[in-house]
Amino acid sequence: EATEADFIRINVLNNTMFTDQGIIEGKANEIISFKKSLSRDIKIYADVFVKHATPAPGSSIENHAEELLLRAGADKIILTGSGTGKEINFDDLEIISRIATPDKLVIGSGLNENNVDSIKKYANFSIVGTYLKKDSKVENEVDLERVKYFFDKGIRYITLTHSKSNHISDSSYDENRQWGGLSTFGKQLVSEMN
């Protein structure tokens, strides 16, 4: 609310996921109670089988998606591949598309120029990060031609930085804050996306 955000992303809203950071258990009830106490309606975008994690044995993506939308309070669900920049599993997309309409589904990783047109019928929203980098490598700089390509496809949200400052902007997690916010290139990039 203090940041005037329209939405937040919650990697594990419900159920349990096994991650490299340990076991993460969703706290949907607590989050929904807190959301109700706010003066603004901030939407919840929640991952279904979040990347870099494994669901509990016996879990199904169908059940998880249904619970997110019908019981846990998610406004939209995010489907990702198994890791950063990894393409989604199209079998999972087919399953989830029977539960979530395109306005309720966000593609959260692996979008590229080879699959963007086939995915558009399933999801009205996508998050693109890795593919915008030169050679699709997360450590490389952003390629403005790729940004322009996705802008022309209607993509308007990009990740500026994760846990480390980079050539686009400073990260709140990194003590090395060389730009005081956005770099010159970062300002050009944001301008290109608006």
Side-chain angles (χ1 to χ4, degrees):
E1 192 169 54
T3 64
E4 299 183 7
D6 293 324
F7 72 92
I8 59 168
R9 179 179 186 173
I10 300 176
N11 291 355
V12 182
L13 177 61
N14 69 338
N15 292 321
T16 301
M17 298 298 288
F18 297 89
T19 75
D20 59 344
Q21 302 156 19
I23 298 171
I24 300 177
E25 296 182 58
K27 305 257 186 219
N29 189 47
E30 292 174 29
I31 291 167
I32 296 307
S33 293
F34 177 71
K35 180 181 174 185
K36 288 178 182 176
S37 75
L38 301 174
S39 61
R40 330 173 9 117
D41 181 29
I42 299 172
K43 303 295 183 199
I44 295 174
Y45 290 26
D47 287 81
V48 56
F49 285 12
V50 66
K51 61 186 173 182
H52 306 291
T54 302
S59 299
S60 76
I61 198 160
E62 180 178 27
N63 180 259
H64 194 160
E66 285 176 344
E67 287 186 0
L68 282 169
L69 288 174
L70 301 176
R71 296 181 65 223
D75 296 292
K76 298 190 188 310
I77 56 175
I78 302 172
L79 176 64
T80 65
S82 61
T84 301
K86 304 286 186 193
E87 285 192 47
I88 60 167
N89 178 310
F90 280 84
D91 291 336
D92 289 345
L93 179 60
E94 285 289 336
I95 291 167
I96 290 175
S97 71
R98 294 191 296 264
I99 298 159
T101 57
D103 65 313
K104 295 283 187 184
L105 180 58
V106 180
I107 302 303
S109 73
L111 202 67
N112 59 56
E113 63 187 29
N114 297 320
N115 65 20
V116 65
D117 290 324
S118 61
I119 287 175
K120 281 171 51 174
K121 70 179 181 181
Y122 296 101
N124 291 347
F125 306 94
S126 301
I127 301 168
V128 183
T130 305
Y131 187 76
L132 299 179
K133 303 292 188 92
K134 291 179 182 169
D135 302 319
S136 298
K137 293 185 179 177
V138 74
E139 66 273 9
N140 287 351
E141 294 185 358
V142 169
D143 182 337
L144 277 179
E145 290 305 312
R146 288 182 173 201
V147 171
K148 289 176 186 175
Y149 175 83
F150 276 101
F151 183 86
D152 291 342
K153 292 287 184 182
I155 308 293
R156 299 293 186 272
Y157 171 91
I158 63 167
T159 300
L160 298 176
T161 183
H162 274 283
S163 58
K164 294 283 187 188
S165 296
N166 59 30
H167 69 290
I168 300 171
S169 68
D170 296 328
S171 169
S172 61
Y173 295 103
D174 193 345
E175 292 180 16
N176 174 24
R177 296 187 185 133
Q178 59 186 329
W179 308 113
L182 291 172
S183 68
T184 301
F185 177 78
K187 291 174 186 172
Q188 180 184 4
L189 177 63
V190 169
S191 175
E192 195 67 46
M193 293 299 292
N194 287 305

